[in-house]
Structures are given as structure tokens and as C-alpha cells.
Amino acid sequence: MPALPVTARNLVKRYGSFTAVDGVSFDIREGECFGMLGPNGAGKSTTIKMITCFSPVTEGELVVRGNDVRTQAREIKSVLGLVPQEDNLDPDLPVRRNLEIYARYFGIPQEVASPRIEESLRLFQLEEKASSKVDDLSGGMKRRLVIARALVNNPQLLVLDEPTTGLDPQARHLVWQQLRLLRSRGVTMLLTTHYMEEAAHLCDRLVIMHRGKILEEGTPKELIEQHAGAEVLELRTAPQDRAPLLAEVSGIEGVAVEEVEDIVYVFGARQAARRIVERVGDARLAALRPGTLEDVFLRLTGRGLLD
């Protein structure tokens, strides 16, 4: 039986006395998009650095495509495509030349590299910019070029560390469309993102990390059903008007109430929530909406800012 793309068991990363990743275990399956969500400092990027052999493992087991990260870094890097958080293109070279140089790093013959490069440019709508200098590209084009570059070596695992940060909605949706296409072709992907909608669109399964640990793992649908429910009630009424409404949901098994500033969120009270919305009669004060992955994320990791 072939090895899974990634297997991690009790993975730990320490920097001195600080533990950035604290005993996480997960598998990435063939052909899936596996997501890692979490606030800044959760350990996502540190985990990616260990998977891509840029940072050594402190403890635990980490195997990528059957290769141990401790002893087979060269073999692992040869089968990875990496999209880092920061663009690291060569600004002095034209777009196509950036991709040609990248292909040389992997020893790809020109007759193999050329059609791959053209396909990558076409996929991310960069053909017309192939002869342009990188510095002449917009921020969105640079980001798309970084993703296109990661495909040149035909990677067995595509690692995307916040790939659409800073993109406008049109560019972000283009990237989503092309990543879905790659997934349909069987490309295995590891994705970190702060966009909950992005994770819901792209991920087959995901983990939510916080303070170096994995809090939950599952499909987006499973996690929404478990932690938010099909519908969430939002109340924006004054405290004195709110109490009698919330009395209707108190005591119902499985119901959770969160008060955040001037908004109250009610999870898991579908029928009672519908009655409250009808009674208030003003969508600005009481609204029932679908549960989202963002609800799950905030319920698990908290709503306060983390340093």
C-alpha cells in the first residue's frame, strides 16, 4: 500500500522554552485538499516549515511521501510545490524566465519544462505577461505567478501557505477556481488560510489549531453541524428586550448562547429561533442565517485578539 502524502504523529516543535507545535497528529490523504486553520501563533506555519524541511522536528514522527523529514529532506523537497506567505520572485527577470530558472532547480529538461510553464501561465491567466518584468506586475498577478511557479515541477504535494492573502475578490475567486481544477485532477494540497470562506470552498478536511494543538478535525460540513448548527440566530436588541427572548431558548438541550458586545449569537435552537425572528419582525434586530466555518473558528479559538 503506497504511503500517505503526509503522516504526522505526536509532532513537537520547540524554540528554546517556547513550544510552537505541541504534540499534533494528522494524516493527509491522496488527492484531497487538507486545511490548517488557526489564529496567528497557532502553529500552522511552523508545521508547514517542518513538512517542507525548512525547520527540524523537535520530537515525534513526520513522514512525507514515505520519506522521513529528518533524513530524507532532499527526496521530500523534490516532490513538493511550495507557495510561501511572502512572494519571493526574482524582480529582475521576466515572468517566463522566473519559471524557467525554477525548473532548472529540479533538473527538468527544457523540452519537459516548456509545456509545463506554458500550462501554468495559461492556468493563472498570465500568458500576456510572460515577457513582462515581475516588478511591472500587480500584487495579484505576482501572487498568481508564485502559485503557477509551484506547479512547474509537477509536485506530488502542493503546499499553499495563505495563498490568496492580499488579493481582491476577483483574483481570489480565480485562484479558487484553478485550485479546484487541480484537485479534480488528483493534486494533493495542504492549505493554510485566514479566510474561512476559502477553507469551506476548497478543503475536503481540515484541522483547527490553537496554541500549538489541534482542537478539532473533520470536514467543513461536519464541523459546522457539530459546533454551529445549520442556522445561527443573531440578536441586536437592547438588554432589557433581549432577556425575555432568550428565555425561550434557555434550557433547550444543545443550545449555546454567546454575547459579544451588542450582538447575541444563539446556536442550536432552530425552531425557537424562528419564532423569535417572527416575533421581533425586524431583520436588523433579529436574523437567522446559516451556520458557517467562521462561527466554528470563533467558538473554538475565541473572539479576542491574540498577540
Side-chain angles (χ1 to χ4, degrees):
M1 185 174 180
L4 290 170
V6 178
T7 298
R9 294 290 180 270
N10 302 313
L11 190 61
V12 175
K13 177 63 182 181
R14 295 192 187 95
Y15 297 98
S17 61
F18 174 67
T19 302
V21 176
D22 191 3
V24 303
S25 298
F26 60 89
D27 294 320
I28 299 178
R29 301 169 186 165
E30 198 72 55
E32 75 174 347
C33 180
F34 183 86
M36 287 185 172
L37 306 184
N40 290 330
K44 309 181 302 298
S45 291
T46 302
T47 302
I48 281 185
K49 287 178 181 177
M50 289 189 284
I51 290 172
T52 54
C53 304
F54 283 100
S55 184
V57 171
T58 303
E59 293 177 15
E61 175 189 355
L62 181 57
V63 177
V64 180
R65 287 292 178 190
N67 300 299
D68 191 313
V69 297
R70 288 185 171 91
T71 58
Q72 297 170 291
R74 187 179 183 87
E75 291 85 349
I76 291 171
K77 290 182 178 181
S78 70
V79 299
L80 293 182
L82 176 60
V83 178
Q85 286 186 25
E86 301 294 332
D87 297 342
N88 56 355
L89 301 161
D90 190 327
D92 296 323
L93 296 178
V95 166
R96 183 183 280 108
R97 189 64 176 156
N98 264 271
L99 302 187
E100 290 171 348
I101 295 296
Y102 188 76
R104 285 189 181 182
Y105 293 154
F106 293 90
I108 303 171
Q110 184 176 352
E111 62 270 19
V112 176
S114 292
R116 288 186 186 175
I117 288 170
E118 296 308 314
E119 169 67 9
S120 293
L121 292 173
R122 184 200 62 76
L123 196 63
F124 288 95
Q125 298 183 14
L126 292 167
E127 307 105 308
E128 295 183 1
K129 298 293 184 179
S131 300
S132 300
K133 289 285 187 69
V134 166
D135 273 350
D136 295 333
L137 302 182
S138 68
M141 287 180 178
K142 290 177 183 178
R143 201 69 188 136
R144 281 149 50 196
L145 179 58
V146 172
I147 302 173
R149 184 187 61 183
L151 301 177
V152 168
N153 64 316
N154 196 24
Q156 296 179 27
L157 174 64
L158 180 60
V159 180
L160 303 135
D161 196 2
E162 300 182 22
T164 63
T165 297
L167 297 188
D168 60 37
Q170 290 86 352
R172 185 177 300 132
H173 278 270
L174 170 64
V175 171
W176 292 355
Q177 176 185 344
Q178 304 308 64
L179 292 180
R180 286 195 300 268
L181 175 62
L182 292 172
R183 186 182 60 183
S184 73
R185 294 177 178 178
V187 176
T188 305
M189 291 182 279
L190 169 59
L191 170 75
T192 74
T193 180
H194 285 300
Y195 297 116
M196 299 300 109
E197 184 185 6
E198 180 165 281
H201 267 83
L202 297 176
C203 295
D204 299 290
R205 293 185 305 124
L206 57 89
V207 293
I208 296 180
M209 297 184 67
H210 189 47
R211 301 189 187 280
K213 294 182 178 292
I214 291 176
L215 302 182
E216 285 287 0
E217 177 178 345
T219 69
K221 182 179 179 181
E222 289 169 347
L223 294 176
I224 291 169
E225 289 178 350
Q226 181 179 353
H227 294 283
E231 293 179 315
V232 177
L233 172 64
E234 291 188 8
L235 279 175
R236 290 176 169 81
T237 56
Q240 63 271 21
D241 300 324
R242 188 182 298 161
L245 297 173
L246 293 180
E248 288 202 26
V249 299
S250 64
I252 299 178
E253 184 177 356
V255 170
V257 177
E258 286 189 9
E259 298 192 38
V260 184
E261 302 295 338
D262 60 330
I263 305 176
V264 176
Y265 299 90
V266 180
F267 304 94
R270 192 169 189 174
Q271 296 305 319
R274 288 182 180 276
R275 291 194 298 270
I276 290 172
V277 170
E278 291 172 0
R279 185 178 307 172
V280 173
D282 187 338
R284 294 170 299 177
L285 302 179
L288 198 58
R289 58 165 177 79
T292 67
L293 202 53
E294 185 165 317
D295 292 317
V296 177
F297 182 87
L298 292 174
R299 290 202 69 198
L300 290 174
T301 65
R303 297 178 183 268
L305 293 176
L306 299 176
D307 294 330

